[in-house]
Amino acid sequence: MKAVILVGGEGTRLRPLTCNVPKAMVPILNRPFLEYMAGYLKEHGVEDIILATGSLPDPIQSYFGDGTKFGIRMTYLVEESPLGTAGAVKNAEAFLDESFFVFNGDVLTEIDLTAMMRRHQEIGPKVSIALTPVDNPTIYGVVETDAEGKVKRFMEKPSRDEVTSNLINAGIYILEPEVLEHVPVATPFMFEHHLFPRLLEMGEVILSYPSDAYWIDTGTPEKYLEAHHDLLWGWGDRGIRLGRGSKIHSTARIEGPALIGEECVIAEDAQVKGPTVLGPRCEVAKGAVVEGSVLWHDSKVGEGAILRNCIAGSYSCVQHGSPVLDGCVLGDNVTVGRGNRLAKGARVWPESHPKPNITSF
Ligand code: GDD
Ligand code: MG
């Protein structure tokens, strides 16, 4: 089975984390997001993946190559300018000759793809679309269905008073190749705004596949951190998984669930409290505290410093006397210097990608 994964967006809402890394390569439990996704697809018999990428395919291609190492086949299609979600799949038309999956490239989920495909084949619509319930539908695409589960209407990012359902487009579709006849070539075109509403107007059946399985769009720092907390708590054992070559001082305290990458150093009296992920070669210095956070590789929390419920990009550093708390996001190479105080939820951009009007700092 084939799947097209849409990874051509700019990852704007995840910035500054996506200043140097495409959204699809952002680490989830120390592995690129896409690797996670490829494993999930493989479990459901999808081994042929077409990546519809934007302008930054190199890091993806150099990691996955042709996919052999990961037991899949990976094909790359680069768009010179963004073609939109449906335009990007149109671009892959030559590779598609039977029912295939399409995925938004930022969704972490356990939706049962095998059952979704079975239902698609039994009922035989042109399109099936997975739906998931959420608390705040206004930031997604709301989908209204009838009693038989046929889609009646799409409302992309509706305002609060327009919301008629808490079921939203989960970013997973099964398409019959012939629907691509209705997508123009080399022209920006969206499933959500253009193709799906058009198919409904034409009287085609779009079948919903509602699911209560785990689902999260990791496309904002808040959701990215939440996904980590969910995955780590999901271990169920408050375990501590320690990478090769990591050194933990005998007086340091680690409370799981925690994933500690290779060659990390956790110094005397330091504390690491789960759910936390340390990327490879991170250092938690003497007396420092890291809690509920995700650190990318080569980051450092200095002596006596505190990092709580935050995300720190690679080569970042928090110095003593500057607690970094509650949803702050440090880009790569950012150092929070002694005595600097970050506002709750502040995002700090790397110098190489300066952003005007930083909340504080
Ligand atoms: N190749 C390509 N080209 N990919 C694109 C393009 C493009 O022009 N534009 C967006 N994408 C990819 C993004 O990289 C991402 O993986 C996916 O399409 C969805 O884009 P997002 O920017 O993350 O959209 P969203 O989260 O606001 O909304 C979408 O996902 C929701 C579920 O998470 C919509 O499909 C909503 O209807 C849906 O509810
Ligand atoms: Mg998204």
Side-chain angles (χ1 to χ4, degrees):
M1 260 188 303
K2 289 184 182 171
V4 180
I5 307 183
L6 300 166
V7 293
E10 288 175 22
T12 319
R13 283 162 291 175
L14 253 188
R15 283 186 200 153
L17 297 170
T18 42
C19 287
N20 301 319
V21 182
K23 183 158 81 165
M25 293 300 281
V26 157
I28 297 279
L29 297 184
N30 287 344
R31 298 244 165 241
F33 178 84
L34 258 185
E35 188 176 337
Y36 222 88
M37 193 150 190
Y40 163 64
L41 295 187
K42 243 187 100 174
E43 273 174 30
H44 290 281
V46 181
E47 295 187 343
D48 211 334
I49 294 175
I50 298 154
L51 273 186
T53 75
S55 51
L56 257 181
D58 296 1
I60 305 181
Q61 212 157 349
S62 53
Y63 189 85
F64 289 99
D66 64 3
T68 314
K69 235 174 45 191
F70 301 86
I72 48 169
R73 194 158 77 170
M74 203 77 124
T75 306
Y76 302 86
L77 292 179
V78 183
E79 291 154 45
E80 268 167 36
S81 61
L83 291 175
T85 47
V89 176
K90 177 76 175 176
N91 200 30
E93 196 170 15
F95 297 89
L96 304 165
D97 50 10
E98 54 180 20
S99 317
F100 62 95
F101 282 100
V102 174
F103 291 85
N104 283 352
D106 55 4
V107 162
L108 189 70
T109 182
E110 289 174 351
I111 289 179
D112 186 344
L113 302 176
T114 308
M116 181 176 172
M117 182 56 95
R118 202 180 308 125
R119 188 146 173 270
H120 180 85
Q121 283 165 345
E122 276 164 19
I123 299 181
K126 289 278 170 18
V127 175
S128 287
I129 173 170
L131 306 184
T132 186
V134 292
D135 292 336
N136 176 16
T138 61
I139 52 173
Y140 303 104
V142 169
V143 180
E144 276 178 29
T145 59
D146 67 12
E148 293 172 314
K150 291 183 186 153
V151 174
K152 289 195 309 195
R153 188 170 169 218
F154 286 92
M155 274 179 291
E156 191 61 21
K157 320 269 155 59
S159 63
R160 222 161 249 296
D161 37 312
E162 284 173 313
V163 171
T164 48
S165 163
N166 72 334
L167 282 177
I168 59 125
N169 167 11
I172 301 178
Y173 321 123
I174 299 172
L175 303 187
E176 291 307 310
E178 63 255 36
V179 298
L180 297 177
E181 284 165 19
H182 308 290
V183 181
V185 178
T187 310
F189 206 73
M190 301 292 284
F191 286 116
E192 301 85 340
H193 296 287
H194 308 119
L195 182 65
F196 292 157
R198 181 175 291 185
L199 290 174
L200 290 181
E201 272 168 32
M202 291 166 50
E204 295 287 1
V205 173
I206 300 185
L207 186 68
S208 67
Y209 181 78
S211 169
D212 286 330
Y214 182 78
W215 182 93
I216 194 166
D217 177 335
T218 59
T220 63
E222 297 74 22
K223 292 289 177 185
Y224 174 75
L225 194 57
E226 189 182 325
H228 274 89
H229 289 183
D230 292 342
L231 286 168
L232 289 164
W233 286 125
W235 289 354
D237 61 358
R238 303 196 70 149
I240 298 162
R241 318 243 156 124
L242 195 61
R244 201 164 25 91
S246 281
K247 293 198 184 90
I248 298 175
H249 194 274
S250 59
T251 58
R253 219 173 76 215
I254 304 184
E255 280 171 29
L259 174 68
I260 296 172
E262 294 178 1
E263 294 175 47
C264 289
V265 176
I266 301 174
E268 63 186 290
D269 296 325
Q271 295 179 48
V272 173
K273 298 185 187 174
T276 282
V277 177
L278 304 185
R281 301 173 300 281
C282 283
E283 184 182 342
V284 183
K286 186 175 168 186
V289 179
V290 177
E291 182 176 356
S293 296
V294 175
L295 277 71
W296 291 9
H297 66 88
D298 297 282
S299 291
K300 177 171 178 175
V301 181
E303 229 179 277
I306 300 177
L307 186 79
R308 184 178 302 134
N309 289 326
C310 291
I311 308 163
S314 45
Y315 301 99
S316 59
C317 176
V318 178
Q319 293 178 346
H320 181 45
S322 43
V324 174
L325 309 173
D326 300 327
C328 288
V329 184
L330 310 182
D332 297 342
N333 299 301
V334 163
T335 293
V336 181
R338 209 170 266 273
N340 282 300
R341 200 158 267 282
L342 297 184
K344 239 181 169 179
R347 299 187 186 196
V348 190
W349 259 247
E351 259 173 47
S352 52
H353 292 81
K355 177 184 181 274
N357 307 324
I358 286 174
T359 332
S360 71
F361 198 57

